[in-house]
Amino acid sequence: MTDFLSTGTLPDEYRQLALTVRDFANQVVAPVAAKHDAEHSFPYEVVAGMADMGLFGLPFPEEFGGMGGDYFALCLALEELGKVDQSVAITLEAGVSLGAMPIYRFGNDKQKAEWLPLLASGRALGAFGLTEPGAGSDAGGTRTTAVLDGDSWIINGSKQFITNSGTDITRLVTVTAVTGGVDGKKEISTIIVPTDTPGFTAEPAYNKVGWNASDTHPLSFDDVRVPAENLLGERGRGYANFLRILDEGRIAIAALSVGAAQGCVDESVRYAHDRQAFGRAIGSNQAIAFKIARMEARAHAARTAYYDAAALMLSGKPFKKEAAIAKLVASEAAMDNARDATQIFGGYGFMNEYAVARHYRDSKILEIGEGTTEVQLMLIGRELGL
Ligand SMILES: Cc1cc2nc3c(=O)[nH]c(=O)nc-3n(C[C@H](O)[C@H](O)[C@H](O)COP(=O)(O)OP(=O)(O)OC[C@H]3O[C@@H](n4cnc5c(N)ncnc54)[C@H](O)[C@@H]3O)c2cc1C
């Protein structure tokens, strides 16, 4: 069985963390993954387990209830979880990098003190509301508005496809909204909306192709009144701040994708040994062995891409291009490996209860969420001056 951690290149604390999360993924997540997928149910007990392990606080300082780790530690955890259940992995990814991170990066002392310990504990989830019915890749097309009325913002509009926005433990959604404009150029700001605010509604959950155990809703805002002090970061900097969060988030999605790609390799190696056809293991056919070898190469190459982007980010260097490359190649590796693994499993690969079938359905969104493949290519091209 392939095992990147056994190469011993990771510093010990990272390696230990990854191995701990791997045990949790195999012992706690894997046994209930097919059930939650089939029932489209949110895995509260798994999320509570991740909270107990401190995973929601991984990259935050201890003063905010975090584990004092860093973003690479989060990525390693996402890779291990992504191997066995992408829904669980995206719940952690969105909770940390989209729900809590904007408050850590751009919040004032009061906002951090109020929200971070809660979110880092994993007992509450935050969500990130950027996408709207008419504004996805072109996120600057935001139509949701926030108007100052005395010492309150009044928010009206809608968001769509928002992860973690309607669970029983969701406490806030950070949204982008138009707060003004000059010469036809929109001023976009970011505002924290506690989910118990009157006028805020998480509409019924979507019926998705995959990520069935992940929580995704359209949101509506009908004269939602929140205190003016809920503005997150500088007024008018909302769009730029969200882009920074998305740059980081792409490294996390790449890590999750590498997990999916590697999970498909591991399942395929096992099956290629076990499954007999024409009197021998199917893996003894070079056509199958080559297919799995290529899958391993894709996962390995994508892993080095996200390690590189994370290293640049943590050393304070520019990482936009490398994050886009990592997201591009890792999401494609996951989708390609899921397709190949399903082929190797034959008819069983088309049965929903098999992990490779879940990866086949789940992996498509990796090429769409947090910036589509085309958006990554646009970003890379721009960084090349094109
Ligand atoms: C399960 C799920 C969870 C999500 N979670 C969140 C979340 O938590 N928060 C959030 O804010 N959003 C979330 N999203 C939204 C996601 O980020 C968007 O769906 C994605 O950014 C694409 O936007 P869109 O769907 O509007 O597609 P569009 O932007 O309409 O794109 C449609 C197609 O056109 C292509 N395209 C667009 N512009 C160009 C161009 N200039 N050149 C070439 N091709 C182009 C795109 O690549 C795509 O193939 C989620 C989506 C899903 C499905």
Side-chain angles (χ1 to χ4, degrees), residues 12 35 42 61 67 138-139 258 320 327 334:
D12 205 44
K35 171 180 163 292
F42 188 76
M67 298 281 280
D138 181 14
V258 167
K320 189 184 267 294
K327 204 274 181 176

Side-chain angles (χ1 to χ4, degrees), residues 128 130-131 136-137 161-163 208 365 368 370 372 374 378:
F128 175 90
L130 176 67
T131 307
S137 304
F161 306 145
I162 308 304
T163 304
K208 304 191 292 286
I365 182 59
I368 297 172
E370 296 201 28
T372 62
E374 292 75 17
M378 279 164 56

Side-chain angles (χ1 to χ4, degrees), residues 90 93-94 98 126-139 159-165 174 176 206 208 210-211 214-217 242 246 250 365 367-376 378 382:
I90 192 60
E93 194 275 343
L98 301 181
F128 175 90
L130 176 67
T131 307
E132 298 188 4
S137 304
D138 181 14
K159 298 286 173 182
Q160 81 175 358
F161 306 145
I162 308 304
T163 304
N164 287 345
S165 60
T174 303
T176 45
Y206 293 99
K208 304 191 292 286
W211 285 7
S214 158
D215 178 80
T216 325
H217 297 259
F242 262 45
L246 287 175
R250 284 179 186 130
I365 182 59
E367 296 181 321
I368 297 172
E370 296 201 28
T372 62
T373 293
E374 292 75 17
V375 165
Q376 307 315 313
M378 279 164 56
R382 257 185 228 151

Side-chain angles (χ1 to χ4, degrees), residues 29-353:
V29 182
V32 295
K35 171 180 163 292
H36 284 300
D37 175 65
E39 295 173 358
H40 293 224
S41 48
F42 188 76
Y44 285 103
E45 77 284 20
V46 173
V47 171
M50 293 197 292
D52 287 343
M53 291 169 73
L55 298 189
F56 286 91
L58 263 180
F60 303 116
E62 288 168 22
E63 62 174 305
F64 297 121
M67 298 281 280
D70 58 28
Y71 211 83
F72 184 57
L74 171 68
C75 289
L76 291 174
L78 292 171
E79 181 179 337
E80 292 305 326
L81 293 166
K83 275 184 196 168
V84 299
D85 189 341
Q86 293 187 39
S87 287
V88 164
I90 192 60
T91 300
L92 178 66
E93 194 275 343
V96 177
S97 93
L98 301 181
M101 196 54 89
I103 293 175
Y104 177 58
R105 291 261 178 258
F106 308 114
N108 57 34
D109 289 347
K110 185 163 180 276
Q111 290 165 335
K112 286 185 190 170
E114 181 178 356
W115 291 110
L116 270 184
L118 189 63
L119 298 176
S121 77
R123 305 292 162 207
L125 286 172
F128 175 90
L130 176 67
T131 307
E132 298 188 4
S137 304
D138 181 14
T142 298
R143 289 202 187 136
T144 297
T145 57
V147 177
L148 258 188
D149 177 34
D151 57 3
S152 303
W153 292 104
I154 313 286
I155 304 171
N156 280 288
S158 60
K159 298 286 173 182
Q160 81 175 358
F161 306 145
I162 308 304
T163 304
N164 287 345
S165 60
T167 74
D168 295 348
I169 57 172
T170 303
R171 293 289 174 268
L172 71 95
V173 182
T174 303
V175 295
T176 45
V178 179
T179 48
V182 190
D183 298 336
K185 195 169 180 300
K186 287 177 186 170
E187 176 194 83
I188 297 178
S189 305
T190 317
I191 298 173
I192 299 171
V193 179
T195 49
D196 58 1
T197 312
F200 168 84
T201 310
E203 307 288 353
Y206 293 99
N207 181 11
K208 304 191 292 286
V209 167
W211 285 7
N212 287 339
S214 158
D215 178 80
T216 325
H217 297 259
L219 306 178
S220 64
F221 300 80
D222 185 10
D223 283 334
V224 171
R225 179 181 284 269
V226 298
E229 63 185 23
N230 282 23
L231 179 73
L232 183 67
E234 232 178 280
R235 181 169 174 170
R237 293 283 304 160
Y239 187 52
N241 290 348
F242 262 45
L243 290 186
R244 158 75 198 207
I245 291 296
L246 287 175
D247 281 339
E248 295 178 1
R250 284 179 186 130
I251 307 176
I253 293 289
L256 191 167
S257 304
V258 167
Q262 192 68 55
C264 290
V265 175
D266 295 349
E267 289 286 331
S268 298
V269 169
R270 187 180 54 70
Y271 196 73
H273 279 303
D274 293 350
R275 180 68 176 174
Q276 300 279 317
F278 299 98
R280 57 193 176 133
I282 59 168
S284 63
N285 297 295
Q286 206 174 45
I288 299 280
F290 274 16
K291 201 186 280 292
I292 298 175
R294 194 172 289 284
M295 291 162 66
E296 171 72 1
R298 286 185 198 121
H300 183 89
R303 181 179 295 108
T304 58
Y306 98 69
Y307 275 29
D308 179 55
L312 286 172
M313 176 189 153
L314 291 180
S315 62
K317 300 207 171 80
F319 63 96
K320 189 184 267 294
K321 183 181 73 172
E322 290 73 13
I325 290 172
K327 204 274 181 176
L328 174 76
V329 300
S331 59
E332 290 184 348
M335 192 66 243
D336 290 348
N337 281 11
R339 186 195 59 237
D340 285 350
T342 301
Q343 187 71 18
I344 288 166
F345 271 66
Y348 294 101
F350 204 58
M351 298 299 121
N352 270 330
E353 65 268 32

